Amino acid sequence: MMMAAALWLLLLFAWSAGAELRLASYYADHMVLQKEPSQAVIWGYGDSGANIMVTASMGHKFVKKMAEVQGGYKVWRVVLSPMAAGGPYVIHVQQYNKEKVSNVTLNDIYFGDVWLCSGQSNMEMTVSQIYNASQELAEASHYPLVRVFAASLVQSEKELEDLADITLQWSVPTAKNLGHGDFSYFSAVCWLFGRYLFEKLKYPIGLVESSWGGTPVEAWSSKRALNECGISEPTERMSSSYLNAGPKEGSVLWNAMIHPLLNMTIKGVIWYQGEANTLMNTDLYNCTFPALIDDWRKAFHEGSDGQTKEDFPFGFVQLCTNQRVEVNDHFPRIRWHQTADYGYVPNKRMPNTFMAVSIDLGDDGSPYGSIHPRDKQTVAYRLLLGALAIAYEEKSIVFQGPYPQKVQVDRAHAAINVTYEEQVVLRHMNNKTFEVCCFAQPECKWRPVSIVSSSSRSVVLQNVPCPDAVGGLRYAWHEWPCDYKLCPLYNSQALPAPPFITFAHDNPGWSTL
């Protein structure tokens, strides 16, 4: 933490001293700026009172914007005109200070969609660590218009205005910079998501990775967001070795790895995090995660002069599995809390969000530990479906598995009929994935029930142990609910039904015969 404070002081000194023109750290050759209808922001530092001219040109086509270096930090910024997808552009920045002229030039700049990828180690996993890594790396050079950038692992007690360090400056993808090392750069989920988007949209995609393994949501949240959930003190450290890689204190990664990016105009965010919160503030996650989304949206909107949409799309991965031995129900609870306890997204608390369910991608053979499954292709594909439906408004796209609409208890036959909103595909029948809560017991005790049949939109459960006292029903409420791509229920698009928990007393779709 002393090192982070020193970095902040050095940056502060540079801002106040700033005797020469320079761009903020993440502007570089090969970058992607956000295309129309939003407008990209370009900013940097210069001599106080100097005039700045920014020109973006491609052949005979060009746009110009003027600005003035402002205030004690000697910062300038321009908002470009809306630019259509494409390139390459040259961006030329000139500073006029009395009789002195300074220049900075950026080459090979494209306009497209910019996505921020954040979270912990499952977002950090590089392309070299996943299934079919050799093939994925060999094909990287086939996608020169999917550009990549990775922020360095830095924490700070203060909000930084610019990144203190960069691990991977904007680059055209290669096998080397996508598979540099274990949990280094570049994120497999981020890369695959961007590649799949490019294959669909056929225009440039910019990917900005800012992630750190073993970190809780609190570290990525601003103090404002934490206060919304009653968290005002630094969060405690965890004892589990596999999650001890990153910092845990509140706001330290928001300060150093997100706040410096706020001036960037972005299309949206994808997020893969939550494992750390199975060991810390688990039952606050239904507040802290939605609060983070709300706060990031507001902050990016304001930081980009309103160019990043104030309700920009936010996608996330619902947690996979960890270990087959059931220790507690923290993983199922985090999965539920990731949806603000609705079980699906978007919902009233989490509008304009999308979710990739991954409970069926368990990988107990992973050399990086079963908490790090290697099938990131399926994760990225399910995120793609959500992005197409929510961010790109392709309303015909189905991006989430079937969710129950009605629960009907048949006491006479000790059975339960579960009706879904869409067609269900029963891959196999078992007697452990569904469980009922028997309120006749001294306390609620969950007991398994058997799947015996299904129709196009319903599943029939039998051997209910307490047909006269069923008070609740849950599905896939285990740390490792099913084997690889072998959960019982999917839809016709091969998307798994998400886990759920529901109780008779608060579900209007619940009935008893």
Side-chain angles (χ1 to χ4, degrees):
M1 192 60 70
M2 290 296 292
M3 183 178 293
L7 286 169
W8 182 80
L9 289 172
L10 285 171
L11 285 171
L12 184 60
F13 175 78
W15 299 331
S16 60
E20 62 180 32
L21 172 69
R22 62 187 177 91
L23 292 163
S25 62
Y26 52 78
Y27 293 95
D29 295 347
H30 314 303
M31 80 179 300
V32 174
L33 294 169
Q34 182 58 42
K35 73 171 188 67
E36 63 184 5
S38 297
Q39 298 166 244
V41 176
I42 299 180
W43 69 282
Y45 309 98
D47 295 327
S48 183
N51 292 314
I52 301 292
M53 177 182 288
V54 178
T55 305
S57 61
M58 181 175 64
H60 297 294
K61 179 180 180 181
F62 67 92
V63 295
K64 290 186 177 181
K65 289 285 184 174
M66 299 290 295
E68 182 177 330
V69 180
Q70 301 288 331
Y73 286 170
K74 299 180 172 60
V75 171
W76 58 267
R77 60 189 288 153
V78 300
V79 180
L80 295 179
S81 301
M83 304 289 284
Y89 282 82
V90 174
I91 294 181
H92 193 56
V93 183
Q94 292 179 298
Q95 174 180 268
Y96 300 90
N97 186 21
K98 298 179 181 179
E99 297 180 356
K100 181 181 178 182
V101 179
S102 304
N103 299 275
V104 176
T105 300
L106 301 178
N107 294 296
D108 191 38
I109 305 300
Y110 282 79
F111 288 84
D113 282 341
V114 180
W115 284 84
L116 171 62
C117 308
S118 188
Q120 57 181 111
S121 55
N122 271 303
M123 182 63 82
E124 268 194 308
M125 283 183 72
T126 68
V127 181
S128 63
Q129 295 178 275
I130 63 174
Y131 287 141
N132 300 320
S134 297
Q135 179 180 347
E136 299 289 359
L137 291 171
E139 293 177 353
S141 60
H142 299 172
Y143 300 91
L145 295 184
V146 183
R147 305 293 175 84
V148 293
F149 172 97
S152 293
L153 307 186
V154 177
Q155 57 181 312
S156 174
E157 294 179 353
K158 304 288 186 180
E159 289 183 340
L160 303 185
E161 297 304 315
D162 200 358
L163 292 172
D165 198 10
I166 293 168
T167 294
L168 178 65
Q169 189 54 274
W170 282 103
S171 300
V172 176
T174 65
K176 183 177 180 180
N177 61 30
L178 291 185
H180 185 263
D182 293 353
F183 302 104
S184 181
Y185 59 85
F186 188 75
S187 164
V189 169
C190 190
W191 164 251
L192 292 166
F193 173 76
R195 196 191 88 189
Y196 296 163
L197 267 182
F198 174 79
E199 290 172 342
K200 177 71 176 181
L201 302 175
K202 306 301 183 185
Y203 60 71
I205 300 294
L207 301 173
V208 178
E209 181 191 352
S210 186
S211 56
W212 193 334
T215 53
V217 71
E218 289 83 359
W220 297 99
S221 304
S222 72
K223 288 182 169 58
R224 296 181 305 276
L226 294 177
N227 287 338
E228 289 291 320
C229 301
I231 300 174
S232 57
E233 297 297 324
T235 49
E236 70 274 14
R237 291 197 173 271
M238 298 178 294
S239 59
S240 178
S241 59
Y242 71 82
L243 291 176
N244 257 347
K248 311 299 183 293
E249 293 84 356
S251 304
V252 293
L253 301 184
W254 156 267
N255 291 340
M257 298 179 68
I258 300 299
H259 190 269
L261 302 174
L262 295 184
N263 294 345
M264 182 186 293
T265 307
I266 63 173
K267 175 70 174 181
V269 169
I270 58 170
W271 172 263
Y272 198 157
Q273 188 277 334
E275 297 92 343
N277 286 99
T278 64
L279 298 171
M280 185 176 117
N281 293 338
T282 301
D283 286 323
L284 283 177
Y285 204 85
N286 57 0
C287 179
T288 51
F289 183 42
L292 175 143
I293 296 172
D294 292 346
D295 188 66
W296 282 25
R297 283 173 168 168
K298 180 180 179 181
F300 273 95
H301 179 69
E302 293 177 351
S304 63
D305 285 357
Q307 296 310 308
T308 297
K309 290 184 178 180
E310 57 186 340
D311 64 343
F312 65 74
F314 196 109
F316 63 94
V317 182
Q318 190 180 50
L319 291 192
C320 187
T321 57
N322 180 24
Q323 53 189 357
R324 292 179 181 273
V325 178
E326 203 79 14
V327 177
N328 53 49
D329 68 345
H330 289 194
F331 264 75
R333 279 157 49 198
I334 282 290
R335 293 181 189 124
W336 185 245
H337 294 333
Q338 284 181 294
T339 68
D341 299 351
Y342 280 79
Y344 57 88
V345 296
N347 56 55
K348 291 180 180 179
R349 180 62 187 89
M350 300 174 67
N352 217 34
T353 59
F354 55 95
M355 174 175 71
V357 177
S358 67
I359 58 171
D360 64 335
L361 302 180
D363 181 8
D364 52 7
S366 172
Y368 314 104
S370 57
I371 200 168
H372 299 121
R374 289 167 288 177
D375 184 358
K376 296 299 193 269
Q377 289 90 343
T378 300
V379 169
Y381 176 71
R382 291 173 182 176
L383 283 170
L384 169 73
L385 295 179
L388 294 177
I390 300 299
Y392 298 96
E393 299 181 351
E394 296 190 16
K395 300 304 182 185
S396 62
I397 298 283
V398 176
F399 68 94
Q400 186 172 277
Y403 198 79
Q405 188 176 38
K406 296 179 181 178
V407 177
Q408 187 176 64
V409 180
D410 183 347
R411 290 179 294 186
H413 297 91
I416 297 176
N417 187 290
V418 185
T419 303
Y420 286 82
E421 296 176 343
E422 61 173 304
Q423 182 181 1
V424 294
V425 175
L426 181 62
R427 289 200 175 176
H428 66 88
M429 294 183 289
N430 68 29
N431 60 0
K432 64 179 181 178
T433 312
F434 278 98
E435 297 170 290
V436 296
C437 174
C438 296
F439 277 138
Q441 305 295 324
E443 59 183 35
C444 179
K445 187 173 182 64
W446 292 97
R447 295 172 178 253
V449 290
S450 302
I451 303 172
V452 294
S453 65
S454 70
S455 61
S456 63
R457 291 178 180 263
S458 66
V459 174
V460 177
L461 312 174
Q462 286 189 345
N463 302 321
V464 177
C466 49
D468 294 321
V470 175
L473 179 70
R474 66 187 189 186
Y475 171 79
W477 203 265
H478 295 278
E479 187 163 322
W480 196 296
C482 45
D483 288 329
Y484 183 75
K485 293 190 175 181
L486 279 178
C487 283
L489 301 180
Y490 290 78
N491 62 12
S492 56
Q493 291 78 23
L495 297 174
F500 72 84
I501 186 169
T502 182
F503 294 94
H505 61 78
D506 62 3
N507 186 342
W510 190 289
S511 63
T512 302
L513 298 179

